[in-house]
Amino acid sequence: MKLSAQLAPKNERGLLLANPVMTASGTFGYGTEDNHPFDIQRLGAVVCKGTTLEPWNGNPQPRIIETAGGMLNSIGLQNIGVAALIKEKAPIWAKWQVPVVVNIAGETIDDYAKLARLLDRVAGVSALEVNISCPNIKAGGAEFGASAESAAKVTVAVRKATSLPVMVKLSPDVSDIAGIAIAVAQAGADAISLINTLKGMVIDIDKRKPLLGNVTGGLSGPAIKPVALAMVYRVAGAVNLPIVGCGGISNAADAIEFIMAGASAVQVGTAGLVNPGAPIDVLEGIEKFMLDEGIEDIASLVGVAQD
Ligand SMILES: Cc1cc2nc3c(=O)[nH]c(=O)nc-3n(C[C@H](O)[C@H](O)[C@H](O)COP(=O)(O)O)c2cc1C
């Protein structure tokens, strides 16, 4: 049975995954924590927490609240900063078989370019995921993902600054996601991942105030799956790049839907916070589906639901 996926076929370094199951940024730390109930080398790839030039403390508490079928978070890219990541995390990743994708975020285009340059030849870093879609930071983030023009500008800057495979992560809070995907593809991205969280809020009716310290947060989990799936279907039909599907994937059937919509790989996020074994459950479920259906190569399933 062939499960592998090449997410950067046009890049000289490539991004070959042994299987299509990745973790979603911000829901799996740096992968170096020892609280995972499975051997993380079994994953297709690990995507680390969003990383910025300087360490960030994130947003005021409270930052997480459960919602119907999902959760809202306003963590706001709390992270150790790129220097500590290169010094402390990358040497550990360099010993791993599983590729690690570093998710980067900035407040200016120059921030993104600097991050890409700093990470370019770091052993242990296999690719970049460019977060132009964080709804939880004031400057940057989702603002760059909101228009085709600014999304392309960030992509060009990162592309110029690194030889690493570049995957650009799109925001769902836009009116024309296909237009943005096309702009990002033309600007030199190797792959596109989607979706990040959708902006949402909760009001505490006793206090008569927004519950999250940051007022709004990002909605994730099963509640967003149909939205994410429709966007993956749309983007996969619009660009000729590997697509990584994300949003509410909780089990193998969810993942297979994304693959049939056109995703070459999937990311498991919130589900892993509820069931830490979720990524491996998804992988084993995909293997079982392929065995039951007599599918020899997962690539033959990619995009079969497209017309
Ligand atoms: C607590 C939390 C933190 C997150 N942090 C990041 C981040 O740092 N960078 C990023 O690109 N996405 C971040 N995300 C978004 C996820 O990677 C993913 O795109 C989103 O949650 C949808 O997938 P899911 O429904 O499977 O969680 C975060 C999500 C959650 C729930």
Side-chain angles (χ1 to χ4, degrees):
M1 185 191 298
K2 187 167 175 278
L3 279 162
S4 61
Q6 175 54 261
L7 297 185
K10 293 180 199 143
N11 183 287
E12 57 172 13
R13 294 165 78 168
L15 178 59
L16 183 64
L17 274 54
N19 67 69
V21 181
M22 314 168 73
T23 57
S25 177
T27 64
F28 203 70
Y30 296 91
T32 50
E33 304 75 14
D34 33 58
N35 55 353
H36 307 299
F38 56 85
D39 175 7
I40 65 168
Q41 304 305 322
R42 291 178 65 195
L43 291 167
V46 167
V47 184
C48 80
K49 175 67 191 165
T51 298
T52 50
L53 281 175
E54 301 299 329
W56 282 14
N57 290 328
N59 286 322
Q61 300 281 357
R63 310 196 293 189
I64 285 195
I65 178 80
E66 201 171 327
T67 58
M71 64 178 267
L72 274 172
N73 91 81
S74 61
I75 307 289
L77 296 183
Q78 178 176 5
N79 78 98
I80 60 175
V82 70
L85 178 142
I86 291 171
K87 193 161 168 250
E88 294 160 24
K89 307 296 177 188
I92 302 173
W93 298 337
K95 296 188 192 123
W96 291 0
Q97 208 181 315
V98 58
V100 176
V101 178
V102 175
N103 180 289
I104 58 170
E107 290 177 278
T108 65
I109 290 179
D110 200 41
D111 285 356
Y112 284 94
K114 278 190 186 136
L115 284 159
R117 214 169 292 124
L118 286 168
L119 291 162
D120 185 34
R121 291 282 164 191
V122 175
V125 177
S126 293
L128 300 179
E129 180 174 62
V130 184
N131 178 7
I132 52 166
S133 46
C134 182
N136 296 326
I137 50 171
K138 282 198 180 71
E143 272 174 35
F144 290 116
S147 84
E149 202 190 347
S150 53
K153 276 191 186 152
V154 176
T155 309
V156 166
V158 172
R159 174 75 290 154
K160 275 195 195 146
T162 183
S163 60
L164 283 166
V166 173
M167 179 158 84
V168 178
K169 183 166 179 182
L170 304 187
S171 166
D173 290 329
V174 297
S175 51
D176 177 18
I177 194 137
I180 292 172
I182 290 166
V184 161
Q186 284 170 349
D190 292 297
I192 292 177
S193 55
L194 72 160
I195 59 175
N196 208 316
T197 53
L198 287 136
K199 189 177 269 198
M201 75 182 290
V202 170
I203 289 177
D204 180 332
I205 59 169
D206 295 321
K207 293 186 181 146
R208 304 178 179 199
K209 291 281 179 226
L211 194 140
L212 291 171
N214 192 47
V215 180
T216 59
L219 182 65
S220 63
I224 72 169
K225 197 197 91 183
V227 177
L229 190 61
M231 290 190 159
V232 165
Y233 184 84
R234 186 119 188 272
V235 167
V239 298
N240 190 19
L241 282 186
I243 306 295
V244 176
C246 177
I249 296 174
S250 307
N251 54 46
D254 294 341
I256 292 163
E257 281 190 76
F258 278 80
I259 292 166
M260 290 181 170
S264 298
V266 293
Q267 295 179 351
V268 179
T270 300
L273 303 177
V274 182
N275 162 24
I280 290 302
D281 292 351
V282 167
L283 174 59
E284 289 175 351
I286 292 173
E287 286 168 348
K288 181 174 183 310
F289 180 82
M290 288 174 67
L291 265 180
D292 291 349
E293 300 278 320
I295 298 160
E296 275 166 23
D297 184 353
I298 189 128
S300 67
L301 273 185
V302 174
V304 290
Q306 292 274 346
D307 45 33

